[in-house]
Amino acid sequence: MKTIHSNNESEHLRDQAIINLEQGALTPGYSANVAEVIYYLNESLATELVCVLRYRTNYFMARGIHAKGIAQEFLIHASEELLHVDMLASRIVQLGGEPDFSPDGLNNRSHVEYTAVISLVDMIRENLIAERIAIDSYRDFIHYLKENDPTTSRMLKEILAMEEAHADELADWLEDFPTATVSELVIN
């Protein structure tokens, strides 16, 4: 069986691993611009936090005959977006950064807006808009990383897949939403 590294190569890898031990997972082989990656991860973190807040608000505020099942899905989406928050924050820390959970400037750091709406259809529509923005943002981020940070890229692809599933579900709701009177759709 052929080995991947000769003894000399293994010793060189060990010597490299010893350099800057305090940097943890950030080894000399990391080729992305770590400051930029952390900046973009914090933007993504803010985007996910705004989505959590919007979905949770929609969960509590959804009213009408058709709202019960959709409101429950809003809560599920909020929980999944919160998982993304945790993934992003963990990766920021792994790269030696600090996750920015500060509410000050949250909307400015986010790629999506926190939009308060009054009807169930508008809630679905605004969440779909946000998901579509997140999808494009994650695709751009993955493209930016290329092969320079495969760990972050893999994580972003996992998040992207969930955002696409959310968008698909929301689009189905809009397409299949029954014709309802305004009084059924407006939040009381």
Side-chain angles (χ1 to χ4, degrees):
M1 175 185 272
K2 184 179 178 189
T3 60
I4 295 174
H5 300 288
S6 69
N7 284 341
N8 285 342
E9 289 171 321
S10 294
E11 287 176 26
H12 175 72
L13 289 173
R14 178 174 169 73
D15 291 341
Q16 287 298 305
I18 292 171
I19 297 171
N20 299 319
L21 279 176
E22 70 282 356
Q23 292 185 356
L26 196 58
T27 66
Y30 184 86
S31 57
N33 180 324
V34 70
E36 285 183 6
V37 171
I38 290 169
Y39 176 83
Y40 295 136
L41 285 168
N42 267 313
E43 283 187 342
S44 298
L45 179 73
T47 300
E48 295 294 341
L49 286 168
V50 169
C51 288
V52 168
L53 295 171
R54 187 182 46 260
Y55 274 126
R56 288 199 62 88
T57 299
N58 293 167
Y59 164 73
F60 286 106
M61 299 304 296
R63 299 282 187 269
I65 193 167
H66 305 290
K68 187 175 183 179
I70 292 175
Q72 203 57 39
E73 288 298 318
F74 286 156
L75 185 59
I76 291 168
H77 286 205
S79 297
E80 291 168 345
E81 302 292 351
L82 191 55
L83 175 64
H84 300 163
V85 167
D86 292 344
M87 293 167 68
L88 293 161
S90 292
R91 186 60 181 156
I92 290 167
V93 171
Q94 286 176 347
L95 294 175
E98 183 178 329
D100 189 350
F101 284 94
S102 172
D104 295 334
L106 184 61
N107 277 326
N108 293 333
R109 293 189 311 274
S110 173
H111 296 144
V112 299
E113 297 176 10
Y114 180 91
T115 307
V117 293
I118 59 169
S119 77
L120 188 58
V121 170
D122 286 341
M123 288 177 188
I124 295 167
R125 186 176 292 116
E126 286 301 318
N127 283 307
L128 179 54
I129 290 167
E131 294 291 357
R132 291 171 54 85
I133 291 168
I135 288 166
D136 282 340
S137 295
Y138 284 122
R139 283 187 183 139
D140 289 347
F141 195 178
I142 292 164
H143 180 74
Y144 163 79
L145 289 172
K146 295 183 178 127
E147 300 301 318
N148 294 323
D149 185 341
T151 303
T152 301
S153 184
R154 186 174 45 253
M155 178 195 68
L156 295 174
K157 287 175 183 176
E158 184 179 332
I159 293 171
L160 174 61
M162 183 67 66
E163 303 296 4
E164 289 175 341
H166 288 173
D168 189 49
E169 186 173 39
L170 292 162
D172 285 348
W173 294 345
L174 277 182
E175 183 177 304
D176 296 336
F177 206 87
T179 304
T181 65
V182 172
S183 63
E184 289 177 315
L185 299 176
V186 175
I187 296 173
N188 298 326

